């Protein structure tokens, strides 16, 4: 108010002194995004920075989503993030976007065992599904990133992925008028830096929420499960199958790392041990959510299993002993000893976690 | 608005003429015996109570992941995972009054920050006993009640097995002959099997020693005693979350001599 008063007085003074010059007309409010310091008369066309808050609806049985204070969810940020996620501009030769290895129809995972980067080089791990990852406390199979923002920095510069340089990406995006406008509206910035690029992508990723599977409808009392699915549900939640200790709750994951007996030592991929440097963590990987598991083949950190039947067979045979194998794999070498029918029931139940709207809408 | 302020001031004046203002709380440093109206000036000593959760085997501090311990049947065993909930931690005075100092404490031996909690809003130390619940009693142990606690989702106890949360996850290896083959795994998971309440309360006398306004209380778990005294329990690779009879035996042993409390001198 006082500022405006001073401006008006200033304007009047200027006007009074330079009557012979035509007054510059523009926005005279310095809080506006188009404030013109040279303007002396306000043209009533001030534009103010404002965003529309994006509200995350927390599904039944889920905790609150922890959103970084410096990156609040906005409709503008989410839409911008989705555009970036789908845009190959992030890769050095403009050929590869996030979506290419995180395919929507595969619940944002790669149906190929290993993803192929712009230089035709393959990695050694299967690209993770992006489903309900706003509730993850760490990212990547080995937990190497602690936030979605941090995670999004990595593939852009990874030589076997997008193989770009952030300065180059910034240069490309800053010469794109559409992005200039979208970043101004989402973050009120003139120069687009890498921080804001990953912030937008992270906002979009937090909206990838799946909670409308057949199982959810069953929990809500809207749909019945078949006898086979119910039998699988019971095996899943008993210590016979003992799936729930790692894939428990409505999230179907535990935000922890385990060695589930895939390999004997020495491990070819140290997983968490590579990140923590602690040999007790060797061979441990993040528990993936089982939501949409039907769509996210192949399975395990290295995509070694094509079908859910193979995954169930792994647990049914008990897996391999190693010094870091999880004590929850308590029937190591013996296995769950499920009958063929029980194994089929378990797979039927896992398929009730499929949310078709999530991969099609 | 001004009218109300005026009325309030007049009322205050009126009162000040008829009653002595001061600190009316006998516990405060500046308790005024002549005061009949508390003026909010009470000054308290604040003490910090440090609650430590410790874990022992045969009275020695637990060494994690060490397959060198022997149970009552001379089976070698280790402890790899130990997570548990202590709830409703209360301090009691001789006059029967008590103070809740921690409603739910989740302890994970792999995370040092969960093994100590400091309670700072304690204004006097005339407490003579401490009580707590091992696990969560029925009123707390409800599915989805603790969605935002650090023990969610890993402590979830499936609805089909009774619902709510585990009380304890004690896991490790066991092996009769270390020279022969690979060890097996045990999962001693306690909780509300079939919806029954297997939590239990313990009360211990305490004497609090104060140094620099700090006092320490140690709540120790003697791990070995879960498996003996009076019920002998052997290690097994079978899950026990659906086994009411074993849950009942573990409760009995737990109530007997698994927990002890001591304070520092």
């Amino acid at each position: 108010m006082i500022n405006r008063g001073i401006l008006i007085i200033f304007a009047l003074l200027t006007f009074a002194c330079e009557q012979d010059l035509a007054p510059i007309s523009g926005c005279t409010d310095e809080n506006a995004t188009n404030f013109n310091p040279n303007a002396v008369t306000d043209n009533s066309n001030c534009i103010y920075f404002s965003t529309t808050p994006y509200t995350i609806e927390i599904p039944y049985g889920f905790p609150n989503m922890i959103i970084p204070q410096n990156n609040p969810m906005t409709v503008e940020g989410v839409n911008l993030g989705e555009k970036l996620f789908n845009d190959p501009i992030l890769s050095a030769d403009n050929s590869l976007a996030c979506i290419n290895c995180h395919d929507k129809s595969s619940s944002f995972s790669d149906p190929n065992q290993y993803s192929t980067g712009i230089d035709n080089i393959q990695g050694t791990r299967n690209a993770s599904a992006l489903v309900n990852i706003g509730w993850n406390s760490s990212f990547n199979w080995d937990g190497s990133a602690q936030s979605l923002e941090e995670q999004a920095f990595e593939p852009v510069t990874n030589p076997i992925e997008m193989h770009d340089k952030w300065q180059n990406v910034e240069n490309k995006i800053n010469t794109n008028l559409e992005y200039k406008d979208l970043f101004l509206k989402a973050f009120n910035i003139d120069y687009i830096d890498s921080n804001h690029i990953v912030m937008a992508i992270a906002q979009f990723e937090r909206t990838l929420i799946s909670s409308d599977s057949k199982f959810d409808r069953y929990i809500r009392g809207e749909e019945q499960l078949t006898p086979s699915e119910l039998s699988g549900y019971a095996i899943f939640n008993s210590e016979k199958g003992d799936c729930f200790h790692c894939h428990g709750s409505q999230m179907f994951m535990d935000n922890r790392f385990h060695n589930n007996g895939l390999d004997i030592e020495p491990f070819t991929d140290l997983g968490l041990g590579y990140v923590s440097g602690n040999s007790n963590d060797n061979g441990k990987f993040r528990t993936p959510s089982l939501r949409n598991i039907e769509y996210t083949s192949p399975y395990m950190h290295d995509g070694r299993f094509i079908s859910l039947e193979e995954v169930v067979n792994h647990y049914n045979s008990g897996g391999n002993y190693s010094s870091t194998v999880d004590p929850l794999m308590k029937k190591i070498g013996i296995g769950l000893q499920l009958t063929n029918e029980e194994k089929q029931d378990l797979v039927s139940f896992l398929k009730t976690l499929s949310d078709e709207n999530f991969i099609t809408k | 608005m001004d009218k109300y302020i005026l009325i309030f001031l007049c009322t205050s004046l009126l009162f000040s003429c008829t009653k002595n203002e001061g600190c009316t709380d006998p516990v405060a440093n500046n308790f005024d015996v002549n005061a009949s109206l508390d003026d909010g000036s009470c000054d308290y000593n604040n003490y910090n109570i440090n609650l430590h959760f410790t874990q022992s085997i045969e009275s020695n501090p637990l060494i994690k992941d060490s397959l060198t311990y022997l149970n009552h049947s001379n089976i070698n065993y280790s402890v790899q995972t130990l997570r548990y909930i202590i709830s409703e931690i209360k301090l009691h005075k001789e006059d029967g009054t008590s103070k809740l100092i921690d409603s739910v404490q989740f302890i994970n031996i792999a995370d040092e920050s969960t093994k100590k909690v400091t309670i700072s809003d304690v204004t006097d130390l005339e407490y003579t006993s401490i009580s707590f619940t091992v696990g969560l009693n029925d009123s707390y142990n409800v599915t989805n009640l603790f969605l935002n606690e650090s023990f969610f989702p890993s402590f979830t106890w499936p609805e089909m097995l009774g619902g709510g949360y585990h009380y304890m996850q004690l896991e490790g290896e066991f092996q009769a002959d270390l020279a022969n083959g690979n060890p097996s795994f045990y999962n001693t998971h306690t909780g509300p099997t079939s919806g029954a309440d297997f939590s239990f309360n313990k009360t211990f006398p305490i004497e609090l020693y104060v140094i620099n306004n700090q006092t320490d209380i140690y709540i120790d778990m003697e791990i070995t005693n879960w498996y003996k005294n009076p019920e002998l329990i052997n290690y097994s690779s079978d899950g026990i979350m659906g086994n009411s009879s074993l849950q009942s035996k573990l409760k009995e042993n737990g109530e007997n001599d698994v927990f002890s409390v001591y304070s520092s001198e």
Side-chain angles (χ1 to χ4, degrees):
Chain A
M1 198 60 205
I2 290 168
N3 275 350
R4 192 176 294 175
I6 290 169
L7 277 170
I8 290 167
I9 290 164
F10 186 68
L12 287 172
L13 277 171
T14 315
F15 198 65
C17 296
E18 300 181 36
Q19 279 178 349
D20 49 330
L21 288 175
I24 296 172
S25 175
C27 172
T28 57
D29 186 347
E30 62 182 2
N31 293 320
T33 54
N34 61 337
F35 167 61
N36 183 347
N38 298 318
V40 286
T41 57
D42 195 280
N43 63 357
S44 308
N45 271 334
C46 286
I47 300 165
Y48 296 92
F49 174 67
S50 79
T51 48
T52 316
Y54 184 103
T55 311
I56 298 271
E57 282 180 32
I58 308 292
Y60 167 80
F62 278 61
N64 297 329
M65 190 188 286
I66 297 166
I67 291 162
Q69 277 194 337
N70 67 351
N71 193 18
M73 299 288 292
T74 67
V75 172
E76 293 81 359
V78 169
N79 290 339
L80 172 55
E82 181 170 17
K83 183 176 165 62
L84 288 162
F85 190 88
N86 292 308
D87 195 336
I89 196 170
L90 297 180
S91 61
D93 63 357
N94 301 317
S95 69
L96 191 70
C98 305
I99 191 81
N100 293 113
C101 300
H102 294 281
D103 182 17
K104 187 169 182 176
S105 62
S106 298
S107 190
F108 298 95
S109 72
D110 197 331
N112 302 300
Q113 181 173 17
Y114 305 125
S115 303
T116 306
I118 64 162
D119 300 327
N120 273 319
I121 306 172
Q122 286 194 334
T124 56
R125 293 187 186 149
N126 181 243
S128 300
L130 308 181
V131 54
N132 301 334
I133 48 170
W135 284 276
N136 282 21
S137 54
S138 63
F139 301 87
N140 297 329
W141 284 103
D142 56 11
S144 59
Q146 306 308 308
S147 71
L148 279 168
E149 285 81 356
E150 185 190 343
Q151 198 285 328
F153 270 111
E154 198 264 336
V156 171
T157 54
N158 192 326
I160 63 167
E161 297 186 42
M162 293 165 157
H163 202 183
D164 211 335
K165 291 188 171 63
W166 271 111
Q167 187 57 56
N168 189 45
V169 173
E170 287 184 9
N171 292 345
K172 284 189 282 184
I173 290 188
N174 275 289
T175 52
N176 181 312
L177 291 179
E178 191 184 354
Y179 274 124
K180 290 293 269 189
D181 181 50
L182 291 173
F183 274 93
L184 184 67
K185 284 177 176 150
F187 297 108
N188 197 22
I189 52 171
D190 291 323
Y191 180 79
I192 303 161
D193 60 8
S194 56
N195 279 318
H196 287 86
I197 294 172
V198 298
M199 282 161 76
I201 293 172
Q203 285 192 39
F204 166 65
E205 289 177 313
R206 291 193 174 96
T207 68
L208 300 176
I209 296 172
S210 169
S211 63
D212 194 27
S213 63
K214 184 177 183 181
F215 173 75
D216 295 298
R217 293 191 291 273
Y218 165 71
I219 290 293
R220 294 197 294 261
E222 297 165 8
E223 199 172 339
Q224 262 308 311
L225 297 186
T226 67
S228 170
E229 289 162 352
L230 281 171
S231 159
Y233 184 32
I235 294 164
F236 187 96
N237 279 306
S238 70
E239 280 183 295
K240 186 169 190 179
D242 207 350
C243 311
F244 66 89
H245 273 117
C246 300
H247 298 285
S249 83
Q250 298 295 308
M251 300 206 291
F252 291 90
M253 63 96 173
D254 64 352
N255 259 329
R256 289 181 183 272
F257 297 82
H258 304 273
N259 172 352
N260 60 347
L262 291 173
D263 297 307
I264 54 167
E265 288 153 296
F267 302 116
T268 50
D269 188 339
L270 298 183
L272 179 64
Y274 177 74
V275 172
S276 71
N278 182 346
S279 60
N280 288 331
D281 292 333
N282 287 352
K284 295 184 182 179
F285 295 91
R286 247 195 83 84
T287 308
S289 170
L290 296 185
R291 285 186 172 272
N292 289 334
I293 198 71
E294 180 183 5
Y295 306 138
T296 69
S297 167
Y299 305 106
M300 304 296 153
H301 63 278
D302 54 5
R304 67 177 68 191
F305 299 135
I306 302 296
S307 67
L308 286 172
E309 284 77 8
E310 283 177 77
V311 174
V312 169
N313 275 334
H314 163 68
Y315 292 107
N316 208 44
S317 68
N320 298 297
Y321 179 84
S322 61
S323 65
T324 61
V325 74
D326 202 285
L328 288 166
M329 294 289 295
K330 55 188 183 297
K331 296 281 185 180
I332 199 90
I334 301 165
L336 309 177
Q337 302 192 318
L338 303 178
T339 65
N340 284 338
E341 192 182 349
E342 286 172 323
K343 287 195 281 185
Q344 196 46 55
D345 291 346
L346 193 49
V347 171
S348 301
F349 169 68
L350 293 174
K351 290 181 178 173
T352 69
L353 300 173
S354 300
D355 179 351
E356 208 182 327
N357 284 335
F358 182 80
I359 61 162
T360 51
K361 264 188 188 167
Chain B
M1 193 61 196
D2 285 349
K3 192 167 69 182
Y4 291 110
I5 293 172
L6 206 65
I7 290 169
F8 176 73
L9 281 174
C10 289
T11 319
S12 307
L13 276 170
L14 214 68
F15 266 90
S16 65
C17 296
T18 51
K19 290 190 175 179
N20 282 325
E21 284 192 34
C23 173
T24 58
D25 188 343
V27 184
N29 288 334
N30 59 337
F31 170 58
D32 183 350
V33 280
N34 297 318
S36 52
L37 186 73
D38 197 281
D39 62 354
S41 71
C42 290
D43 173 34
Y44 299 97
N45 270 337
N46 266 356
Y47 297 99
N48 283 344
I49 295 183
N50 302 312
L51 272 180
H52 304 264
F53 301 90
T54 58
Q55 301 78 29
S56 309
I57 291 187
E58 312 285 3
S59 302
N60 291 311
L62 165 70
I63 298 165
K64 194 173 162 279
D65 301 328
S66 165
L67 189 56
T68 54
Y69 294 115
L70 284 176
N71 83 340
H72 54 78
S73 312
N74 272 338
I75 303 288
N76 300 278
Y77 73 97
S78 70
V79 173
Q80 295 181 306
T81 305
L82 177 52
R83 310 182 192 123
Y84 56 103
I85 287 173
I86 302 285
S87 61
E88 294 273 276
I89 308 174
K90 288 177 181 167
L91 292 173
H92 306 272
K93 291 183 182 179
E94 265 180 349
D95 64 7
T97 58
S98 61
K99 179 182 176 65
L100 178 70
I101 54 172
D102 196 354
S103 56
V104 179
Q105 182 67 26
F106 173 67
I107 299 116
N108 176 3
I109 60 164
D111 180 356
E112 281 299 319
S113 70
T114 64
K115 292 160 81 172
K116 180 186 170 188
V117 61
T118 297
I119 294 101
S120 55
D121 65 333
V122 183
T123 51
D124 72 292
L125 291 174
E126 292 163 10
Y127 297 100
T128 53
S129 68
I130 184 169
S131 69
F132 53 84
T133 301
V134 178
L136 294 163
N137 71 29
D138 263 351
S139 58
Y140 276 102
N141 212 356
V142 178
T143 298
N144 293 344
L145 189 63
F146 296 106
L147 291 176
N148 293 303
E149 294 294 327
S150 61
F151 57 87
F152 180 85
S154 63
F155 246 42
T156 303
W157 188 275
E159 200 67 38
M160 288 184 178
L161 299 176
Y165 299 89
H166 288 69
Y167 306 151
M168 176 173 77
Q169 292 175 343
L170 170 54
E171 302 161 3
E173 295 183 327
F174 69 97
Q175 194 169 9
D177 177 4
L178 292 179
N180 192 4
N182 291 323
S184 304
F185 294 100
Y186 68 92
N187 287 185
T188 305
H189 288 198
T190 61
T193 296
S194 305
D197 187 349
F198 290 105
S199 70
F200 54 88
N201 300 311
K202 294 294 293 179
T203 303
F204 295 92
I206 43 163
E207 227 174 304
L208 297 176
Y209 303 93
V210 185
I211 302 164
N212 296 331
N213 276 27
Q214 306 271 327
T215 185
D216 295 275
I217 301 174
Y218 297 81
I219 299 179
D220 186 65
M221 178 195 282
E222 174 59 69
I223 295 164
T224 331
N225 292 356
W226 282 111
Y227 302 93
K228 58 183 187 185
N229 307 343
E231 297 286 347
L232 287 182
I233 298 171
N234 289 312
Y235 290 115
S236 156
S237 297
D238 293 322
I240 63 164
M241 290 173 67
N243 189 333
S244 296
S245 122
L246 264 179
Q247 295 290 336
S248 176
K249 287 179 179 177
L250 284 160
K251 176 183 170 175
E252 199 179 335
N253 290 352
E255 278 182 308
N256 186 28
D257 59 359
V258 168
F259 289 91
S260 60
V261 169
Y262 56 98
S263 48
S264 60
E265 281 180 81

